[in-house]
Amino acid sequence: MPTKSTRNIALRLGAVAVGMFGFGFALVPLYDVMCKVLGISRETIVTQSQLDPDAAQADMSRTVTMQFLANKNDGMAWEFRPSQFEMDVNPGAMNNTTFYVRNPAHRAMIAQAVPSVSPPEAAPFLHKTECFCFRQQTLAGGEALDMPLQFVVDQALPKKIRTITLSYTLFDVTTMAAAPDQRVGFRN
Amino acid sequence: MGADHHGPAKGLTRWLFTTNHKDIGSMYLWFSFAMFLLGGSFALVIRSELFQPGLQLVRPEFFNQMTTMHGLVMVFGAIMPAWVGLANWMVPLMIGAPDMALPRMNNWSFWILPFAFTMLSLTFFMDGGAPNFGWTFYAPLSTTYAPPSVTYFIFAVHLMGMSSIMGSINIIATIMNMRAPGMTYMKMPMFVWTWFITAFLLIAVMPVLAGAVTMMLFDIHFGTSFFSAAGGGDPVLFQHVFWFFGHPEVYIMILPAFGVVSEVLPTFSRKPLFGYSSMVYATASIAFLSFVVWAHHMYTVGMPIAGELFFMYATMLIAVPTGVKVFNWISTMFRGSMTFETPMLFAIAFIILFTIGGLSGVMLSLAPLDFQYQDTYFVVAHFHYVLVQGALFSIYCGVYYWLPKWTGHMYDETLAKTHFWMTFIGVNTAFFPMHFVGLAGMPRRIPDYSLQFADFNMLSSIGAFITGFSQLIFVVVLLKCIKGGKSATDQVWDGAQGLEWTVPSPAPYHTFTIPPQVR
């Protein structure tokens, strides 16, 4: 039998190991927290920015070029493109645009768009008040749609940033949404 | 404690049920050597394919399985168990303990390993083949696009993790509780110190690896989206979790090497180790820093500049304690009456070649330059210099150093020196040209390459084959030494200091049943 003190050491170290296993999982929320603290806006599909009323005063003396990109994840069959590739906006002013999607398949499919902003420093200053990326999109076979996007560029946007690129990647989540135990996009 | 408790049991059950640290240490070492030959044969498949440009021998899919399995088997099957084996054999002997603190758990932590690696190897025969996503198993390659065998890989990693954690708990408990009277912490041999710190690293990061593969398991089978952007997850998160484990892991493989070299150099220089306490503090600093540098593996994921700078400076800081160690080793040899037996040759080669690997590491730590080096053969050259010429060389160094104590016979010095020189020539021929093709832009993990890399690749392949077949010389040395040879004295080497040299050669089945008194 190990001595009492050996048993104590073993139990404590075992507890550390269990704790570190938990820490591995804690890294998942920590990752989001760290990104926020460090000012790296890691946009997730649920992000809906709170708009500061002061920022909503349009600054007509300054324009920022917004560029829109539409990407499809590997194997995604939908047509997906911005209806407008570029627009000049005034910080503080509300802007509207749309992205066009069409499902060419013969069956209904569900898609999820994931945004990304470049340069990353601009991300905290881009407020999306309405976005198709906030929820999954279901289209019947052959159906097409102009998906709305409404956003404001914050007045506090650093002066050196003149162009912001907003890129969306469209993922096919049909199997994931239908049967959660199915592997996404798994092809053998 | 019965009176019949003098010798080992007979037959197979001796090995299955043994709780003796020497038996378990030997099993770990044999197992790791078998895995070393297996992983080495995968390396030779890779180098055969890369002997010439174009696809000659294997399909690209199989090539990917080879690079993945080579890495996994060498890291988790060869290097790590070899260190645990050396710790099992030597830590109790060096601190004057009769055995490990938790002998039954010791048995268990070894016997998990053969099952883990059997499971991992069986994936070759499954539908879709073995894991093919690289030993770093980045998601989504290892989740969305993985072969079905990935589940077996995940469970194999779980088993390896449990084995390492139990082994580490045992080593820490042994060192804390079973030191001979008078052996204070700052009197412990350096090998014991480095293993003590390594064991803490293992307990801290192996569970994180287990967490990473568990998240993969959930993503693959239970519809979660930890690493899937479509569901709100992030593949970059995988890299953070993996390298939070992965960077301390590389120190887990190299810190005990520092310990072995710090034992061997004083013996053959006939001088005490220079700067013992600075060695201890340097080891602890390296271990601490290893937790805050992980993202230097991911400079190209799109980190903000502040992040790149933090990880760059923190990484370069590691060169300071490492430099302390290298200069201490050189100072240990300075004006010593040196002799060059095989362990000493491996130790000196370690210092020179590991330093080359360390310096290419400093080059890689520079974030702006890393954008060019990322995923090229320069990285392959770097980590083979630190893991082969670093960790493997010092394992051989330790094995030759303590072999006479284990077997009771001196090994064949001529043959051992031949083994050393052939390996030395082989590994440098194999890995040095990789620096050049890497800087010129040859990507890693690719079965074919452009013509301008042909000559250097042919050279690397020749070096790899020299290295591979030279290890057969070691098999001969080992078998000869077990069967017979000149009897070893208790002290074995005339400059050797420490408790392990006070017991008879070969070390009896039970040692230090009465604790020795240290000064």
Side-chain angles (χ1 to χ4, degrees), chain A residues 2-7 9-11 13-14 16-18 20-21 23-25 27-28 31 38 40 42 44-45 73-74 112 114 120 136 171-173 176 180-188, chain B residues 101-102 127 143-148 150 165 168-169 172-173 176-177 200 203-204 207-208 210-211 214-215 219-226 228-234 236-237 240-241 244 304:
Chain A
T3 63
K4 203 172 163 197
S5 118
T6 299
R7 236 190 356 254
I9 293 174
L11 285 176
L13 293 172
V16 171
V18 173
M20 286 308 289
F21 184 71
F23 176 75
F25 284 87
L27 281 173
V28 179
Y31 181 62
L38 294 171
I40 312 159
R42 189 179 146 267
T44 58
I45 49 180
N73 193 40
D74 182 42
Q112 173 66 57
V114 176
Q136 296 180 343
F171 289 81
D172 177 5
V173 294
M176 193 190 238
D181 58 335
Q182 290 269 305
R183 190 190 296 195
V184 183
F186 175 65
R187 281 168 304 280
N188 205 351
Chain B
L102 299 148
D127 239 11
T143 51
T144 313
Y145 303 105
V150 65
I165 291 166
S168 307
I169 290 177
I172 292 174
M176 288 177 78
N177 268 5
F200 278 106
I203 291 177
V208 177
T214 308
M215 287 183 229
D219 271 13
I220 293 168
H221 293 291
F222 304 114
T224 58
S225 298
F226 287 105
S228 156
D234 194 338
V236 175
L237 172 67
H240 280 290
V241 180
F244 186 86

XYZ file of all heavy atoms in Angstrom, chain A residues 2-7 9-11 13-14 16-18 20-21 23-25 27-28 31 38 40 42 44-45 73-74 112 114 120 136 171-173 176 180-188, chain B residues 101-102 127 143-148 150 165 168-169 172-173 176-177 200 203-204 207-208 210-211 214-215 219-226 228-234 236-237 240-241 244 304:
708
model
N 0.592 2.190 -0.857
C 1.362 3.436 -0.821
C 1.107 4.167 0.488
O 0.039 4.047 1.076
C 0.832 4.229 -2.013
C -0.426 3.565 -2.431
C -0.396 2.176 -1.923
N 2.088 4.924 0.934
C 1.918 5.664 2.177
C 0.852 6.735 1.985
O 0.480 7.077 0.874
C 3.228 6.352 2.592
O 3.546 7.301 1.575
C 4.362 5.363 2.741
N 0.397 7.286 3.113
C -0.673 8.263 3.077
C -0.247 9.497 2.283
O -1.003 10.048 1.487
C -1.034 8.652 4.518
C -2.431 9.203 4.621
C -2.831 9.393 6.080
C -4.030 10.317 6.155
N -4.244 10.860 7.481
N 1.009 9.903 2.511
C 1.445 11.119 1.840
C 1.594 10.898 0.332
O 1.284 11.778 -0.464
C 2.732 11.615 2.498
O 3.787 11.631 1.614
N 2.021 9.688 -0.057
C 2.081 9.381 -1.489
C 0.696 9.415 -2.100
O 0.480 9.952 -3.189
C 2.705 7.985 -1.700
O 4.021 7.998 -1.183
C 2.730 7.610 -3.164
N -0.279 8.849 -1.340
C -1.651 8.853 -1.844
C -2.167 10.282 -2.012
O -2.819 10.612 -2.980
C -2.551 8.061 -0.906
C -3.255 6.983 -1.659
C -4.367 6.232 -0.978
N -4.635 6.520 0.393
C -4.308 5.714 1.388
N -3.663 4.596 1.148
N -4.618 6.016 2.619
N -0.355 12.993 -2.596
C 0.275 13.609 -3.776
C -0.412 13.114 -5.041
O -0.767 13.898 -5.930
C 1.785 13.272 -3.807
C 2.501 13.945 -2.643
C 2.403 13.712 -5.132
C 3.947 13.553 -2.499
N -0.621 11.790 -5.107
C -1.229 11.216 -6.312
C -2.620 11.791 -6.538
O -2.980 12.146 -7.668
C -1.275 9.696 -6.189
N -3.395 11.899 -5.447
C -4.763 12.413 -5.599
C -4.748 13.869 -6.041
O -5.502 14.279 -6.929
C -5.527 12.284 -4.282
C -5.968 10.850 -3.959
C -6.643 10.792 -2.598
C -6.904 10.310 -5.040
N -2.360 15.467 -7.688
C -1.914 15.582 -9.084
C -2.998 15.091 -10.033
O -3.195 15.650 -11.117
C -0.615 14.808 -9.299
C 0.608 15.378 -8.564
C 1.787 14.441 -8.679
C 0.975 16.744 -9.120
N -3.716 14.045 -9.588
C -4.835 13.564 -10.398
C -5.890 14.651 -10.557
O -6.431 14.856 -11.653
N -5.305 17.829 -10.485
C -4.755 18.816 -11.426
C -5.012 18.352 -12.859
O -5.430 19.141 -13.726
C -3.237 19.018 -11.184
C -2.626 19.876 -12.288
C -2.993 19.660 -9.841
N -4.782 17.053 -13.106
C -4.985 16.528 -14.455
C -6.440 16.698 -14.882
O -6.720 17.147 -15.999
C -4.571 15.062 -14.520
N -7.358 16.365 -13.968
C -8.781 16.532 -14.297
C -9.093 18.005 -14.553
O -9.778 18.373 -15.506
C -9.669 15.970 -13.156
C -11.134 16.293 -13.389
C -9.475 14.466 -13.046
N -7.055 20.288 -15.641
C -6.512 20.727 -16.918
C -7.354 20.221 -18.091
O -7.428 20.865 -19.133
C -5.053 20.275 -17.077
C -4.065 21.039 -16.236
S -4.146 22.856 -16.383
C -3.487 23.138 -18.013
N -7.980 19.040 -17.899
C -8.905 18.545 -18.935
C -10.048 19.540 -19.090
O -10.432 19.916 -20.191
C -9.416 17.155 -18.537
C -10.301 16.516 -19.575
C -9.767 16.068 -20.768
C -11.668 16.364 -19.355
C -10.572 15.479 -21.732
C -12.482 15.769 -20.300
C -11.928 15.327 -21.491
N -9.840 22.674 -18.261
C -9.258 23.900 -18.803
C -9.221 23.850 -20.335
O -9.471 24.862 -21.002
C -7.849 24.093 -18.246
C -7.143 25.286 -18.824
C -7.471 26.567 -18.425
C -6.153 25.133 -19.781
C -6.832 27.668 -18.968
C -5.504 26.225 -20.334
C -5.856 27.502 -19.925
N -8.938 22.662 -20.886
C -8.950 22.513 -22.344
C -10.283 22.978 -22.916
O -10.329 23.701 -23.918
N -11.377 22.583 -22.239
C -12.700 22.998 -22.720
C -12.958 24.469 -22.415
O -13.611 25.164 -23.181
C -13.788 22.119 -22.105
C -13.845 20.770 -22.733
C -13.046 19.745 -22.271
C -14.662 20.528 -23.828
C -13.065 18.504 -22.878
C -14.693 19.292 -24.428
C -13.889 18.279 -23.965
N -10.936 26.684 -22.709
C -10.282 27.489 -23.745
C -11.273 27.949 -24.801
O -11.055 28.954 -25.461
C -9.163 26.684 -24.413
C -7.846 26.574 -23.651
C -6.900 25.621 -24.351
C -7.188 27.934 -23.526
N -12.374 27.199 -24.958
C -13.341 27.550 -26.002
C -13.995 28.905 -25.707
O -13.870 29.827 -26.506
C -14.381 26.426 -26.173
C -15.401 26.798 -27.223
C -13.705 25.121 -26.509
N -11.361 31.742 -25.521
C -10.927 32.208 -26.835
C -11.760 33.418 -27.259
O -11.218 34.436 -27.687
C -11.095 31.049 -27.808
C -10.692 31.303 -29.235
C -9.376 31.628 -29.554
C -11.615 31.165 -30.265
C -9.006 31.823 -30.869
C -11.251 31.354 -31.580
C -9.949 31.687 -31.870
O -9.592 31.868 -33.181
N -8.755 41.696 -26.286
C -7.640 42.177 -27.094
C -8.118 43.004 -28.281
O -7.324 43.450 -29.091
C -6.802 40.998 -27.593
C -6.081 40.218 -26.497
C -5.462 38.954 -27.056
C -5.007 41.080 -25.862
N -9.832 41.993 -30.795
C -9.944 41.259 -32.043
C -11.390 40.830 -32.128
O -11.823 39.965 -31.383
C -9.077 39.993 -32.040
C -7.681 40.310 -31.545
C -9.057 39.340 -33.399
C -6.945 39.107 -31.049
N -13.934 38.679 -33.164
C -14.119 37.430 -33.866
C -15.609 37.307 -34.095
O -16.371 36.991 -33.203
C -13.615 36.273 -33.025
C -13.586 35.000 -33.797
C -13.052 33.866 -32.967
N -13.759 32.675 -33.375
C -14.842 32.240 -32.779
N -15.312 32.870 -31.748
N -15.454 31.159 -33.228
N -19.109 36.114 -34.821
C -19.788 34.836 -34.887
C -21.173 35.086 -35.449
O -21.595 36.228 -35.591
C -19.900 34.192 -33.493
O -20.592 35.094 -32.653
C -18.539 33.907 -32.917
N -21.837 34.027 -35.770
C -23.110 34.183 -36.450
C -24.163 34.837 -35.570
O -25.133 35.361 -36.057
C -23.618 32.825 -36.962
C -23.535 31.791 -35.847
C -22.848 32.399 -38.169
C -24.018 30.448 -36.288
N -18.177 27.731 -49.159
C -17.325 26.683 -48.605
C -17.303 25.519 -49.582
O -18.205 25.369 -50.420
C -17.862 26.232 -47.250
C -16.853 25.395 -46.495
O -15.678 25.694 -46.522
N -17.312 24.358 -45.837
N -16.251 24.709 -49.459
C -16.056 23.574 -50.342
C -17.336 22.753 -50.523
O -17.946 22.326 -49.553
C -14.972 22.697 -49.705
C -14.653 21.499 -50.557
O -14.566 21.668 -51.781
O -14.498 20.409 -49.988
N -25.706 28.543 -43.989
C -25.323 29.495 -42.952
C -24.159 30.320 -43.472
O -23.176 29.776 -43.952
C -24.898 28.748 -41.685
C -24.327 29.627 -40.592
C -25.361 30.568 -40.011
O -26.403 30.140 -39.525
N -25.111 31.875 -40.110
N -21.032 32.885 -42.760
C -20.143 33.270 -41.672
C -19.328 34.473 -42.132
O -18.646 34.399 -43.146
C -19.225 32.108 -41.265
C -18.244 32.544 -40.195
C -20.047 30.937 -40.771
N -8.778 43.459 -39.675
C -9.442 43.040 -38.444
C -9.683 44.202 -37.477
O -10.645 44.179 -36.714
C -8.482 42.029 -37.821
C -7.460 41.723 -38.830
C -7.523 42.725 -39.909
N -29.961 30.888 -39.966
C -29.810 29.974 -41.102
C -30.842 30.310 -42.167
O -31.921 30.793 -41.866
C -29.982 28.525 -40.637
C -28.887 28.115 -39.665
C -29.037 26.694 -39.183
O -30.098 26.092 -39.309
N -27.973 26.162 -38.617
N -21.917 28.243 -45.879
C -21.736 26.818 -45.561
C -23.046 26.082 -45.764
O -24.112 26.592 -45.442
C -21.317 26.650 -44.096
C -19.924 27.102 -43.791
C -19.655 28.448 -43.589
C -18.889 26.192 -43.700
C -18.364 28.874 -43.304
C -17.600 26.602 -43.407
C -17.344 27.947 -43.216
N -22.930 24.862 -46.295
C -24.090 23.987 -46.405
C -24.288 23.295 -45.058
O -23.440 22.510 -44.631
C -23.822 22.953 -47.507
C -24.957 21.961 -47.646
O -25.983 22.135 -46.966
O -24.809 21.014 -48.437
N -25.377 23.617 -44.353
C -25.611 22.991 -43.051
C -26.858 22.115 -43.077
O -27.434 21.823 -42.035
C -25.716 24.049 -41.916
C -24.388 24.748 -41.723
C -26.802 25.066 -42.198
N -26.433 18.977 -41.070
C -26.217 19.323 -39.672
C -27.521 19.774 -39.008
O -27.822 19.388 -37.879
C -25.199 20.447 -39.613
C -24.642 20.722 -38.258
S -23.710 22.247 -38.366
C -22.127 21.698 -37.824
N -28.549 16.124 -36.305
C -27.342 16.621 -35.657
C -26.269 15.566 -35.432
O -25.135 15.908 -35.190
C -27.856 17.164 -34.325
C -29.272 16.765 -34.208
C -29.757 16.276 -35.516
N -26.611 14.272 -35.521
C -25.576 13.284 -35.298
C -24.831 12.917 -36.578
O -23.974 12.057 -36.583
C -26.165 12.025 -34.646
C -27.264 11.404 -35.479
O -27.881 12.160 -36.260
O -27.493 10.194 -35.346
N -25.206 13.585 -37.693
C -24.521 13.297 -38.943
C -23.298 14.173 -39.063
O -23.312 15.338 -38.713
C -25.446 13.619 -40.126
C -26.588 12.657 -40.249
C -26.235 11.506 -41.131
O -25.839 11.709 -42.269
N -26.358 10.301 -40.624
N -22.242 13.628 -39.594
C -21.044 14.409 -39.783
C -21.264 15.419 -40.910
O -21.795 15.092 -41.956
C -19.889 13.488 -40.141
C -18.581 14.215 -40.116
C -17.512 13.368 -40.697
N -17.273 12.164 -39.899
C -16.190 11.420 -40.062
N -15.284 11.760 -40.936
N -16.030 10.351 -39.359
N -20.868 16.650 -40.673
C -21.075 17.692 -41.669
C -20.160 17.461 -42.863
O -18.957 17.310 -42.722
C -20.757 19.078 -41.074
C -21.040 20.163 -42.094
C -21.544 19.297 -39.825
N -20.757 17.452 -44.017
C -19.963 17.410 -45.240
C -19.120 16.165 -45.376
O -18.180 16.160 -46.155
N -19.425 15.139 -44.624
C -18.587 13.946 -44.682
C -18.873 13.169 -45.959
O -19.998 12.803 -46.251
C -18.858 13.071 -43.470
C -18.134 11.767 -43.512
C -16.752 11.760 -43.472
C -18.826 10.590 -43.641
C -16.072 10.573 -43.527
C -18.144 9.397 -43.698
C -16.759 9.388 -43.647
N -17.851 12.978 -46.701
C -17.986 12.198 -47.927
C -16.935 11.115 -47.891
O -15.781 11.372 -47.585
C -17.769 13.069 -49.168
C -18.961 13.906 -49.538
C -18.559 14.912 -50.572
N -17.448 15.714 -50.112
C -17.567 16.738 -49.279
N -18.750 17.096 -48.833
N -16.511 17.426 -48.900
N -17.322 9.917 -48.216
C -16.348 8.825 -48.169
C -15.877 8.475 -49.562
O -16.667 8.338 -50.444
C -16.977 7.604 -47.521
C -15.900 6.735 -46.930
O -14.710 6.984 -47.159
N -16.293 5.744 -46.156
N 7.026 5.104 -6.279
C 6.098 5.292 -5.171
C 4.803 4.511 -5.377
O 4.184 4.070 -4.415
C 5.779 6.777 -4.997
N 4.359 4.356 -6.624
C 3.084 3.686 -6.903
C 3.320 2.564 -7.915
O 3.036 2.713 -9.095
C 2.079 4.708 -7.448
C 1.751 5.857 -6.478
C 1.450 7.128 -7.235
C 0.594 5.475 -5.600
N -11.081 0.732 -43.592
C -11.612 1.449 -44.745
C -11.139 2.897 -44.710
O -11.304 3.578 -43.712
C -13.145 1.441 -44.648
C -13.742 0.776 -45.856
O -12.971 0.162 -46.630
O -14.968 0.875 -46.027
N -11.379 16.367 -38.894
C -12.787 16.177 -38.541
C -13.611 15.978 -39.806
O -13.934 14.852 -40.170
C -13.325 17.385 -37.743
O -13.011 18.583 -38.440
C -12.704 17.448 -36.379
N -13.878 17.059 -40.527
C -14.734 16.964 -41.701
C -14.158 16.042 -42.771
O -14.880 15.278 -43.397
C -14.925 18.365 -42.297
O -15.253 19.260 -41.245
C -16.024 18.361 -43.330
N -12.850 16.132 -42.989
C -12.265 15.407 -44.117
C -11.492 14.169 -43.693
O -10.749 13.605 -44.486
C -11.352 16.358 -44.896
C -12.092 17.587 -45.361
C -11.909 18.812 -44.747
C -13.017 17.496 -46.400
C -12.629 19.924 -45.156
C -13.736 18.596 -46.809
C -13.542 19.816 -46.185
O -14.259 20.904 -46.580
N -11.642 13.759 -42.449
C -10.827 12.657 -41.943
C -11.352 11.311 -42.412
O -12.546 11.163 -42.679
C -10.813 12.695 -40.424
N -10.480 10.307 -42.512
C -10.963 8.946 -42.769
C -11.724 8.454 -41.531
O -11.506 8.974 -40.432
C -9.683 8.143 -42.988
C -8.639 8.900 -42.266
C -9.031 10.350 -42.350
N -12.589 7.447 -41.709
C -13.371 6.969 -40.555
C -12.499 6.464 -39.406
O -12.923 6.493 -38.257
C -14.202 5.817 -41.128
C -14.180 6.005 -42.593
C -12.936 6.755 -42.950
N -10.370 7.831 -37.874
C -9.972 8.894 -36.942
C -10.472 8.617 -35.526
O -9.821 8.979 -34.541
C -10.464 10.278 -37.447
C -11.975 10.373 -37.459
C -9.892 11.407 -36.601
N 0.059 10.540 -18.030
C -0.323 11.237 -16.801
C -0.032 10.353 -15.588
O 0.554 10.810 -14.598
C -1.806 11.642 -16.854
C -1.987 12.745 -17.903
C -2.286 12.126 -15.497
C -3.417 12.987 -18.291
N 3.598 10.256 -14.938
C 4.120 11.490 -14.347
C 3.765 11.623 -12.884
O 4.586 12.050 -12.072
C 3.551 12.701 -15.081
O 3.780 12.570 -16.431
N 2.524 11.251 -12.546
C 2.120 11.305 -11.137
C 3.068 10.438 -10.313
O 3.562 10.838 -9.258
C 0.660 10.825 -10.983
C -0.289 11.852 -11.601
C 0.318 10.575 -9.522
C -1.742 11.451 -11.579
N 6.553 12.110 -9.949
C 6.549 13.218 -8.990
C 6.447 12.685 -7.561
O 7.195 13.101 -6.665
C 5.395 14.194 -9.289
C 5.655 14.909 -10.616
C 5.257 15.226 -8.167
C 4.527 15.793 -11.074
N 5.525 11.731 -7.348
C 5.368 11.177 -5.998
C 6.662 10.522 -5.539
O 7.066 10.661 -4.371
C 4.220 10.170 -5.985
N 9.223 13.324 -4.719
C 8.895 14.111 -3.535
C 9.009 13.301 -2.253
O 9.410 13.830 -1.218
C 7.482 14.703 -3.650
C 7.399 15.837 -4.661
S 5.739 16.467 -4.859
C 5.582 17.483 -3.418
N 8.658 12.020 -2.317
C 8.504 11.252 -1.081
C 9.597 10.254 -0.784
O 9.681 9.773 0.331
C 7.183 10.471 -1.132
C 6.071 11.254 -0.512
O 6.280 12.397 -0.136
N 4.914 10.643 -0.403
N 5.659 17.593 -14.366
C 4.639 18.631 -14.161
C 4.095 19.133 -15.503
O 2.889 19.364 -15.655
C 5.216 19.794 -13.344
C 5.219 19.533 -11.870
C 6.391 19.254 -11.204
C 4.032 19.547 -11.160
C 6.392 18.996 -9.842
C 4.009 19.300 -9.801
C 5.196 19.015 -9.134
N 1.575 16.581 -16.778
C 0.274 16.615 -16.104
C -0.515 17.843 -16.532
O -1.734 17.827 -16.623
C 0.479 16.585 -14.576
C 1.013 15.214 -14.189
C -0.821 16.855 -13.837
C 1.320 15.076 -12.736
N 0.197 18.934 -16.836
C -0.515 20.144 -17.223
C -1.052 20.076 -18.651
O -2.128 20.613 -18.916
C 0.404 21.352 -17.073
N -3.762 16.465 -20.458
C -5.227 16.563 -20.406
C -5.789 17.548 -21.437
O -6.903 17.364 -21.929
C -5.503 17.052 -18.980
C -4.311 16.660 -18.198
C -3.165 16.779 -19.144
N -5.036 18.586 -21.766
C -5.513 19.531 -22.773
C -5.577 18.846 -24.141
O -6.518 19.045 -24.919
C -4.618 20.788 -22.815
C -5.065 21.735 -23.899
C -4.623 21.485 -21.469
N -6.069 15.666 -24.507
C -7.242 14.803 -24.404
C -8.506 15.609 -24.671
O -9.425 15.145 -25.355
C -7.296 14.151 -23.024
N -8.548 16.847 -24.155
C -9.689 17.715 -24.416
C -9.839 18.010 -25.895
O -10.940 17.955 -26.447
N -11.164 15.049 -27.677
C -12.557 14.829 -27.276
C -13.483 15.782 -28.032
O -14.554 15.386 -28.502
C -12.715 15.010 -25.757
O -11.749 14.197 -25.102
C -14.096 14.612 -25.295
N -13.040 17.045 -28.170
C -13.854 17.983 -28.952
C -13.980 17.513 -30.395
O -15.048 17.617 -31.007
C -13.204 19.363 -28.919
C -13.354 20.071 -27.588
S -12.613 21.710 -27.712
C -11.611 21.731 -26.262
N -17.378 16.763 -32.438
C -17.661 17.377 -33.734
C -17.992 16.315 -34.779
O -18.883 16.488 -35.600
C -16.457 18.193 -34.224
C -16.511 19.626 -33.724
O -17.319 19.905 -32.817
O -15.736 20.464 -34.230
N -17.261 15.202 -34.727
C -17.424 14.182 -35.755
C -18.716 13.403 -35.538
O -19.458 13.150 -36.481
C -16.210 13.226 -35.764
C -14.969 13.986 -36.220
C -16.472 12.024 -36.653
C -13.676 13.233 -36.002
N -18.985 13.028 -34.285
C -20.084 12.087 -34.055
C -21.327 12.680 -33.402
O -22.390 12.093 -33.479
C -19.602 10.911 -33.200
C -18.602 10.061 -33.909
N -18.949 9.274 -34.979
C -17.285 9.924 -33.739
C -17.872 8.653 -35.416
N -16.844 9.029 -34.690
N -21.193 13.806 -32.718
C -22.348 14.267 -31.944
C -22.851 15.638 -32.371
O -23.573 16.291 -31.642
C -22.019 14.244 -30.446
C -21.559 12.889 -29.978
C -20.271 12.694 -29.527
C -22.421 11.801 -30.041
C -19.837 11.440 -29.129
C -21.990 10.542 -29.631
C -20.703 10.358 -29.183
N -22.418 16.095 -33.563
C -23.010 17.291 -34.129
C -22.622 18.596 -33.466
O -23.256 19.616 -33.718
N -21.604 18.606 -32.624
C -21.155 19.884 -32.075
C -20.328 20.622 -33.132
O -20.021 20.073 -34.184
C -20.284 19.684 -30.824
O -19.178 18.862 -31.199
C -21.065 19.030 -29.716
N -19.992 21.855 -32.848
C -19.256 22.661 -33.827
C -18.096 23.399 -33.190
O -17.926 24.582 -33.400
C -20.190 23.683 -34.479
O -21.211 23.019 -35.157
N -17.301 22.679 -32.379
C -16.162 23.358 -31.763
C -15.255 23.954 -32.830
O -14.797 25.075 -32.718
C -15.347 22.382 -30.912
C -16.007 21.997 -29.626
C -16.585 20.756 -29.471
C -16.030 22.893 -28.569
C -17.174 20.398 -28.276
C -16.629 22.552 -27.369
C -17.209 21.300 -27.231
N -15.979 23.872 -36.307
C -16.633 24.009 -37.603
C -17.240 25.407 -37.702
O -18.125 25.772 -36.929
C -17.704 22.932 -37.744
O -18.666 23.347 -38.664
N -16.738 26.186 -38.655
C -17.195 27.567 -38.790
C -18.679 27.626 -39.125
O -19.375 28.554 -38.731
C -16.386 28.274 -39.864
N -19.189 26.606 -39.832
C -20.591 26.611 -40.231
C -21.504 26.646 -39.023
O -22.578 27.232 -39.060
C -20.886 25.385 -41.084
N -21.052 26.028 -37.918
C -21.903 25.978 -36.735
C -21.507 27.010 -35.695
O -21.922 26.929 -34.559
N -20.637 27.964 -36.058
C -20.240 28.989 -35.109
C -18.921 28.713 -34.427
O -18.485 29.484 -33.582
N -18.283 27.601 -34.763
C -16.974 27.298 -34.192
C -15.863 27.924 -35.009
O -16.112 28.766 -35.864
N -14.646 27.496 -34.740
C -13.529 28.114 -35.423
C -12.369 27.124 -35.549
O -11.878 26.629 -34.528
C -13.077 29.337 -34.614
C -12.147 30.224 -35.416
O -11.539 29.715 -36.381
O -12.026 31.405 -35.074
N -9.414 27.808 -36.188
C -8.220 28.394 -35.562
C -8.180 28.047 -34.077
O -7.105 27.865 -33.496
C -8.192 29.920 -35.773
C -7.022 30.550 -35.032
C -8.097 30.234 -37.252
N -9.359 27.896 -33.463
C -9.420 27.483 -32.065
C -8.712 26.148 -31.881
O -8.006 25.935 -30.902
C -10.875 27.385 -31.598
C -11.084 26.787 -30.211
C -10.516 27.688 -29.137
C -12.559 26.538 -29.953
N -5.087 26.692 -31.529
C -4.719 27.227 -30.213
C -4.713 26.112 -29.177
O -3.772 25.994 -28.395
C -5.697 28.328 -29.779
C -5.423 29.651 -30.412
N -4.325 30.400 -30.102
C -6.091 30.352 -31.364
C -4.324 31.517 -30.816
N -5.395 31.505 -31.594
N -5.769 25.297 -29.138
C -5.833 24.231 -28.129
C -4.704 23.239 -28.362
O -4.002 22.835 -27.431
C -7.201 23.518 -28.155
C -7.247 22.432 -27.100
C -8.324 24.511 -27.920
N -1.338 24.713 -27.422
C -1.201 24.896 -25.980
C -0.648 23.617 -25.357
O 0.131 23.659 -24.409
C -2.548 25.249 -25.336
C -2.408 25.594 -23.883
C -2.102 26.888 -23.501
C -2.541 24.622 -22.901
C -1.930 27.199 -22.163
C -2.371 24.935 -21.565
C -2.066 26.232 -21.201
N -3.414 39.575 -34.689
C -3.065 40.994 -34.689
C -1.579 41.156 -34.405
O -0.951 40.279 -33.802
C -3.905 41.589 -33.561
C -4.275 40.435 -32.707
C -4.302 39.230 -33.571
